[in-house]
Amino acid sequence: MRRWITASACLVWTTAAAAQVPGGPTGLEAVDYPWDNGTRIQLTWSLSPDDDTLLGYAVRRRLADDPQQTLIDILPPGTSAYTVPDLDPELAYLFAVTAIAQDNTESAPASTLAPVTPSVQAFDGTRLWFMVTLVLFSGAVVVFIRMARTGRDLKVRKIAGLEAVTEAVGRATEMGRSCLYVPGIQDMNDIQTIASMNVLSHVARTAAEYDAKLEVPTSKSLVMTAARETVETAFLSAGRPDAYNPDLIYYVTDEQFGFVAYAQGMMVREKPAACFYLGSFFAESLILAEMGNSIGAIQVAGTAQPAQLPFFVAACDYTLIGEEFFAASAYLSGEPDQMGSLKGQDVGKLIVAVGILAGVGGMTLAAVTGSDLIQSMVDYFTQRMLT
Amino acid sequence: MSRIDPDRVQVILATDCGSTTTKAILIQKIDGVFRQTHRGEAPTTVEEPFADVTMGVLNAVTETQELAGRRLIDADGRIIQPASGDEGCDIYISTSSAGGGLQMMVAGVIRQMTAESAKRAALGAGAIVMDVIAANDKRRPHEQIQRIRELRPDMILVSGGVDGGTTTHVVRLAELIAPAKPRPRFGSEYTLPIIYAGNADAAPLVADVITDGFDLTVVDNLRPVLERENLGPARDAIHDLFLEHVMAHAPGYDKLIQWTDAPIMPTPGAVGNILETIARERGINVVGVDIGGATTDVFSVFDGVFNRTVSANLGMSYSISNVCAEAGMDNILRWVHIPMDARELRNRVKNKMIRPTTIPQSLEALVFEQAVAREALRLAYLQHKEFATTLKGVQRQRTVGDTFSQESSGETIVDNMALNLLVASGGVLSHAPSMRQTAMLLIDAFEPEGFTTLAKDSIFMMPHLGVLAEVHPQASVEVFERDCLIHLGAVAAAAGSGKPGQACFRYQVRGDTLEASGEMRVGDMKLYPLGLGETARVAIQPERGFDFGAGPGRAVERDVEGGTVGLILDARGRPLQVEGGVEGWVRALELYPEGSVA
């Protein structure tokens, strides 16, 4: 009887002990991750025989010359491969994978026998799509520049606002009134102000040819200096250096509404027949444009501030919208390098637009149909192509 | 000139003194309606040895009176007025383009604004505009002065500035003209007329500058504000000065002016006048074309706005080389359906240039001449479209909805879809062996869209009727509708493009003499007989992407009038694609049947 009890107790203990220590994974192999920047090692192993009951697998690493192990990640059951990230290509590593039971007991580890050192390859394969995009974008620019240089006519959509410059200056000339040019209220470090100087050059050249008066009040002293140089050069290239008057390009005040008050007063008094607002504008956009409209001026506006665009569109005759404003330089000069860049960038924007549409469409389809195939395509697109 | 009571007018005599021929027509009231009854013509006698335009007029009138059996000239060689019994006429009128017509130079401040309005006024008055001087024409002042000096115009029209606008630019224009002292064509005694139609404030300043050797006439500003043109006063002044100065110095015109009951008008001005009258009376849009040997005139009236252009280097004889150069031989040969030798064609072009009065003697020559005409007309119409635009420099009102569709000003007002009547005149169109050829020339060159009536001026009567419209509008409209125009028929053409063979539209035609229905595919043409005076109701259901005026794919139903050609259904699409060859179209309309040309 005692022998039976002892034997039963031993069986229960053995069974309990077997449930607590799961069978470990086997055959762990570590190889360098191909086509990477030397920071990853690829691990593969055979699943534990108790995989169905496991909590998961723990992946550890240690330096070849350091016994201290570091837990890297805990993976769900059924996982038999893992890419170890963030490694140093100068060091050798050893890895171990253990199975974890539901009660957190761990199996005997499957370990790598020889240290593995991640190596740097010439090309990082994860950046393949980045390279494809880069080649497409910059390739388009290069191709279009070369096409433009060979004299090929690159068609650029007509930008009504820029075409209207001659009309606006012509109106001022016929009416015997001045042209007003406001280059925004930001300083020269703003890209919109720089773009504005390009358009100012065109306006000034037209004014010089038509012998019209051009007035440029500025709210930044540096902008005044840049505007003077721009206008002087334009008058010179139009063959009318004698008509250039620096006193018509002047600094008013840095204060936003002080500047607006001056501009409004000047518009009421002198009633310019053509008003140009090109640059960075804020709350003053509608105040200026409404005033110009009320005095019967032809108005051309341009800004990259999305919030101000509706005001300009509603109150002005012509409005350059965002990119149109930045494209002005290439559009007006017609210079092959600039035209090529413009067309190349358009191709880039087209690719981005197609990508956005494809992504949104794919996500929507995946959500609606519940298709794993579409979801995996979307995942590949968002996680591989766009990262 | 006597006052005329329109109700008592029974007989009207009209002459048109052209550069080579003087044409006379007799219009009589028959059964209460004015009809053109007889015509005669004689060589113009402006040049030496005759040097008296009235001799040619009397010769042409003599032929007319012989044909009519009605004495129109008395023993003293004067036209008998008023009519009584079997002799005389109640109204005598005349136009003139002899001696090169009225040649003008215009000036304005901005080329696209006041200068363009001035050009429009001059062309509308029937002048040939030799050059346009403007502050922004990119010429240096000495170049502008040199140009004015070389041109020798009959008259100069100066505009510039809105009322209350610039004075400096306008005075500067006057300062270019005054020292240039352009020498007129008609000898040293001629005082060059200058019409000033600019900023009223600048008129006294201009008068101070333009003094000796000029005859300055100040009229209302032709662009008082940039939003509106006021061409009437400038046009009237041009007509008056044309009579007082230009005509008065041309041989024999002093006599002719005394004979006429209405001022002598430049021929193109009169043609424009009648088209404007017809468009106004019928409420339609009209395009007229007169293709000559040296020039091609295009007239249009769209929504009541009249425009005329003269394409000075597009013509069928003196200018044929230029047409070939401008259009390119490939563009001309695309209209040819039979093989031709390029070298022979070049010889033919030069022969036509040096012997302008020759007419085609073979089918090949005819096909080639009509191919050149297609290109000349197409180019002239393109130039016209570019000129006939909305006013530039006008403030525009927008809404946020216009964000992505900001239309600029200066868009053409010529709209082929809105075109109702297309009138042809000029040798190559009027004297084509077959009316079908005339109709096809018009369709190929002008590419009308939707429903358009085609007509041709029977005996180039439009100038006579244009000046008649000034004194007796009813008579001019009646004669225009009954005798002047030969209705060729109607064309229903789809706007839009598609692949050859693709479905274009379905149609159903119902009339007293014609019942037809079917489907047209892209590239097809079909001709149905619909005689003069007959009408039919045409219902069209276009395919998606094709438009007949109601919008792409939308059904349209319209009454059409027949003519000597009939009803043409055109599914070739617009703009016209000719690259596939024209053989099919030639066959469909039987344009050149065997034995049609000697």
Side-chain angles (χ1 to χ4, degrees):
Chain A
M1 180 68 186
R2 177 181 280 181
R3 285 180 62 184
W4 181 83
I5 291 171
T6 306
S8 297
C10 283
L11 182 63
V12 169
W13 183 85
T14 309
T15 309
Q20 284 171 358
V21 182
T26 54
L28 177 66
E29 284 187 14
V31 292
D32 178 45
Y33 192 92
W35 297 112
D36 76 339
N37 57 350
T39 58
R40 276 165 289 191
I41 296 283
Q42 179 74 43
L43 301 180
T44 53
W45 61 88
S46 299
L47 295 176
S48 155
D50 303 319
D51 186 71
D52 294 345
T53 60
L54 290 180
L55 181 69
Y57 294 95
V59 181
R60 290 185 174 81
R61 76 167 195 217
R62 73 177 179 86
L63 293 174
D65 52 1
D66 184 356
Q68 182 66 41
Q69 283 197 333
T70 311
L71 178 67
I72 306 168
D73 208 346
I74 294 176
L75 307 170
T79 310
S80 62
Y82 179 68
T83 303
V84 185
D86 303 328
L87 301 174
D88 189 334
E90 303 284 314
L91 303 173
Y93 294 91
L94 287 164
F95 298 93
V97 178
T98 57
I100 310 171
Q102 294 293 337
D103 60 357
N104 284 331
T105 54
E106 288 192 37
S107 69
S111 303
T112 50
L113 300 174
V116 182
T117 305
S119 59
V120 180
Q121 272 80 40
F123 179 71
D124 182 354
T126 59
R127 313 301 284 170
L128 177 67
W129 282 108
F130 183 78
M131 190 186 79
V132 170
T133 315
L134 187 73
V135 167
L136 276 176
F137 279 42
S138 38
V141 170
V142 171
V143 166
F144 278 110
I145 287 177
R146 291 186 71 86
M147 281 169 68
R149 282 183 183 171
T150 55
R152 185 85 65 91
D153 185 27
L154 296 182
K155 189 177 181 321
V156 176
R157 179 174 62 83
K158 191 174 155 189
I159 301 177
L162 295 173
E163 297 285 324
V165 166
T166 50
E167 188 184 348
V169 178
R171 180 181 169 91
T173 312
E174 292 279 9
M175 296 178 81
R177 298 195 197 154
S178 62
C179 305
L180 171 70
Y181 191 101
V182 183
I185 59 164
Q186 292 295 84
D187 216 330
M188 282 310 295
N189 58 354
D190 190 299
I191 188 71
Q192 295 183 65
T193 313
I194 294 169
S196 179
M197 290 300 117
N198 284 327
V199 183
L200 174 61
S201 171
H202 178 59
V203 173
R205 194 187 160 98
T206 311
E209 284 170 358
Y210 289 17
D211 196 15
K213 182 181 164 189
L214 174 65
E215 201 157 345
V216 188
T218 66
S219 72
K220 297 285 185 285
S221 55
L222 208 56
V223 176
M224 176 192 78
T225 310
R228 278 186 175 174
E229 288 201 11
T230 305
V231 173
E232 186 175 13
T233 309
F235 271 67
L236 196 63
S237 66
R240 294 295 312 278
D242 54 307
Y244 169 64
N245 180 1
D247 293 342
L248 293 175
I249 302 152
Y250 48 86
Y251 165 77
V252 181
T253 170
D254 273 38
E255 290 299 320
Q256 180 184 15
F257 289 104
F259 177 76
V260 174
Y262 167 79
Q264 268 195 304
M266 180 258 185
M267 287 160 85
V268 171
R269 285 190 303 275
E270 295 191 18
K271 292 191 169 45
C275 297
F276 300 91
Y277 316 111
L278 293 128
S280 183
F281 290 90
F282 297 92
E284 67 284 355
S285 63
L286 188 59
I287 303 172
L288 292 174
E290 273 298 322
M291 178 53 67
N293 190 289
S294 71
I295 59 169
I298 281 192
Q299 303 191 100
V300 181
T303 185
Q305 304 276 14
Q308 308 307 321
L309 281 172
F311 303 129
F312 276 145
V313 170
C316 294
D317 296 60
Y318 301 94
T319 307
L320 302 177
I321 302 162
E323 288 291 306
E324 288 183 339
F325 182 31
F326 297 121
S329 179
Y331 186 89
L332 293 172
S333 70
E335 206 245 319
D337 287 4
Q338 291 195 44
M339 290 292 281
S341 303
L342 188 66
K343 290 294 282 185
Q345 287 172 38
D346 283 351
V347 170
K349 286 171 202 159
L350 183 70
I351 293 170
V352 170
V354 169
I356 291 171
L357 284 175
V360 171
M363 291 284 263
T364 310
L365 267 178
V368 170
T369 62
S371 162
D372 289 340
L373 177 68
I374 298 174
Q375 186 60 54
S376 62
M377 286 166 70
V378 170
D379 289 346
Y380 183 81
F381 181 65
T382 54
Q383 290 165 21
R384 296 295 299 276
M385 292 173 75
L386 297 182
T387 53
Chain B
M1 292 169 205
S2 56
R3 284 186 64 83
I4 297 159
D5 178 6
D7 295 333
R8 301 185 60 166
V9 173
Q10 297 291 322
V11 184
I12 300 166
L13 178 66
T15 54
D16 172 38
C17 308
S19 298
T20 51
T21 316
T22 298
K23 290 153 286 234
I25 61 165
L26 190 66
I27 295 166
Q28 291 175 285
K29 202 169 192 175
I30 300 169
D31 299 332
V33 178
F34 285 99
R35 300 296 300 259
Q36 184 263 323
T37 53
H38 301 89
R39 67 185 290 264
E41 62 180 55
T44 299
T45 51
V46 170
E47 308 288 337
E48 294 289 350
F50 312 102
D52 183 352
V53 73
T54 56
M55 290 175 71
V57 168
L58 291 176
N59 290 341
V61 174
T62 304
E63 190 183 346
T64 311
Q65 74 174 5
E66 285 167 4
L67 290 168
R70 180 183 190 88
R71 206 160 77 92
L72 295 166
I73 302 169
D74 65 16
D76 301 330
R78 290 195 54 128
I79 289 166
I80 302 168
Q81 279 185 286
S84 62
D86 282 346
E87 62 175 37
C89 61
D90 296 308
I91 299 177
Y92 172 60
I93 47 176
S94 186
T95 58
S96 172
S97 59
L102 170 61
Q103 299 183 5
M104 286 185 69
M105 200 197 79
V106 301
V109 171
I110 299 296
R111 195 177 180 85
Q112 299 83 0
M113 294 174 195
T114 47
E116 192 165 284
S117 294
K119 188 178 176 186
R120 212 171 272 136
L123 285 168
I128 293 167
V129 175
M130 305 166 87
D131 200 355
V132 180
I133 302 288
N136 66 329
D137 65 11
K138 297 192 184 297
R139 286 179 285 193
R140 314 297 300 167
H142 68 275
E143 291 170 330
Q144 290 171 320
I145 292 173
Q146 183 67 28
R147 182 73 180 144
I148 299 167
R149 197 184 289 260
E150 287 167 0
L151 279 181
R152 307 183 68 177
D154 296 331
M155 204 185 289
I156 299 177
L157 172 61
V158 182
S159 64
V162 297
D163 282 341
T166 180
T167 53
T168 50
H169 291 82
V170 181
V171 172
R172 205 173 294 155
L173 286 172
E175 286 172 346
L176 293 173
I177 295 165
K181 290 198 188 303
R183 283 175 299 164
R185 288 190 296 160
F186 297 111
S188 56
E189 289 173 19
Y190 185 85
T191 316
L192 186 74
I194 294 185
I195 301 167
Y196 175 71
N199 178 8
D201 296 352
L205 304 170
V206 170
D208 288 344
V209 176
I210 296 176
T211 50
D212 297 335
F214 298 102
D215 178 22
L216 179 68
T217 305
V218 178
V219 296
D220 289 350
N221 193 350
L222 51 74
R223 202 83 184 258
V225 289
L226 284 170
E227 283 72 19
R228 186 167 57 85
E229 268 183 349
N230 176 33
L231 305 182
R235 268 198 219 172
D236 292 344
I238 293 170
H239 283 157
D240 293 346
L241 291 168
F242 176 66
L243 274 179
E244 286 172 27
H245 289 255
V246 184
M247 288 290 98
H249 284 80
Y253 275 90
D254 49 343
K255 261 196 287 180
L256 190 65
I257 289 168
Q258 288 171 0
W259 292 357
T260 57
D261 294 304
I264 298 172
M265 285 174 88
T267 303
V271 174
N273 211 21
I274 184 67
L275 288 176
E276 215 174 346
T277 307
I278 294 300
R280 189 176 54 244
E281 300 257 326
R282 290 201 205 164
I284 57 172
N285 297 320
V286 183
V287 167
V289 62
D290 175 20
I291 180 165
T295 63
T296 298
D297 283 22
V298 181
F299 309 82
S300 73
V301 186
F302 279 92
D303 298 327
V305 179
F306 171 73
N307 276 289
R308 170 186 170 237
T309 48
V310 183
S311 299
N313 292 315
L314 298 174
M316 291 308 298
S317 55
Y318 299 106
S319 305
I320 192 170
S321 284
N322 189 64
V323 175
C324 295
E326 215 167 296
M329 208 46 127
D330 289 343
N331 272 338
I332 290 171
L333 290 179
R334 67 193 175 138
W335 299 108
V336 170
H337 68 288
I338 45 179
M340 289 192 184
D341 177 32
R343 180 186 163 81
E344 194 186 323
L345 294 181
R346 278 195 292 274
N347 290 340
R348 193 165 279 152
V349 168
K350 300 301 174 196
N351 276 329
K352 180 78 181 179
M353 208 169 83
I354 56 178
R355 297 185 186 86
T357 53
T358 53
I359 56 171
Q361 298 296 312
S362 65
L363 175 65
E364 201 178 49
L366 178 73
V367 170
F368 179 67
E369 182 169 284
Q370 293 188 346
V372 176
R374 279 180 172 88
E375 283 303 305
L377 291 169
R378 186 180 64 83
L379 293 172
Y381 196 42
L382 274 180
Q383 289 180 8
H384 185 79
K385 281 181 181 170
E386 283 170 14
F387 178 72
T389 58
T390 55
L391 295 179
K392 298 184 188 84
V394 176
Q395 193 196 26
R396 302 175 76 88
Q397 299 296 327
R398 295 200 190 274
T399 65
V400 179
D402 296 332
T403 306
F404 298 108
S405 58
Q406 298 176 32
E407 286 176 6
S408 47
S409 59
E411 300 289 322
T412 184
I413 60 169
V414 175
D415 178 7
N416 277 358
M417 189 61 87
L419 176 62
N420 303 106
L421 176 63
L422 181 51
V423 184
S425 70
V428 69
L429 291 167
S430 299
H431 301 144
S434 147
M435 298 276 192
R436 290 182 185 186
Q437 291 166 5
T438 307
M440 199 60 179
L441 277 169
L442 289 175
I443 298 170
D444 288 345
F446 289 85
E447 301 188 20
E449 298 168 2
F451 294 85
T452 311
T453 303
L454 307 176
K456 74 170 185 177
D457 185 1
S458 56
I459 51 168
F460 198 52
M461 209 194 294
M462 283 197 289
H464 307 94
L465 301 182
V467 70
L468 179 60
E470 295 282 300
V471 287
H472 204 308
Q474 182 206 344
S476 78
V477 171
E478 285 178 7
V479 176
F480 183 83
E481 287 179 347
R482 288 177 173 80
D483 302 308
C484 175
L485 291 191
I486 296 176
H487 284 270
L488 302 174
V491 58
S497 56
K499 289 180 181 165
Q502 175 194 333
C504 185
F505 63 88
R506 279 174 285 120
Y507 63 93
Q508 190 172 33
V509 187
R510 291 186 307 275
D512 293 338
T513 58
L514 177 63
E515 289 280 340
S517 62
E519 188 187 47
M520 297 285 285
R521 298 188 167 275
V522 174
D524 287 354
M525 288 203 84
K526 207 166 267 182
L527 171 67
Y528 284 109
L530 188 65
L532 270 170
E534 295 173 0
T535 57
R537 184 130 188 107
V538 181
I540 302 253
Q541 176 60 60
E543 294 295 326
R544 206 169 61 177
F546 290 97
D547 187 8
F548 274 81
R554 295 199 167 195
V556 182
E557 225 174 302
R558 198 80 67 86
D559 287 322
V560 295
E561 283 181 39
T564 51
V565 175
L567 169 64
I568 299 170
L569 299 179
D570 184 351
R572 297 178 297 174
R574 302 284 187 270
L576 203 55
Q577 301 296 325
V578 194
E579 282 64 35
V582 296
E583 293 84 358
W585 307 335
V586 170
R587 252 196 322 274
L589 267 74
E590 295 176 19
L591 286 183
Y592 303 102
E594 297 260 334
S596 64
V597 178

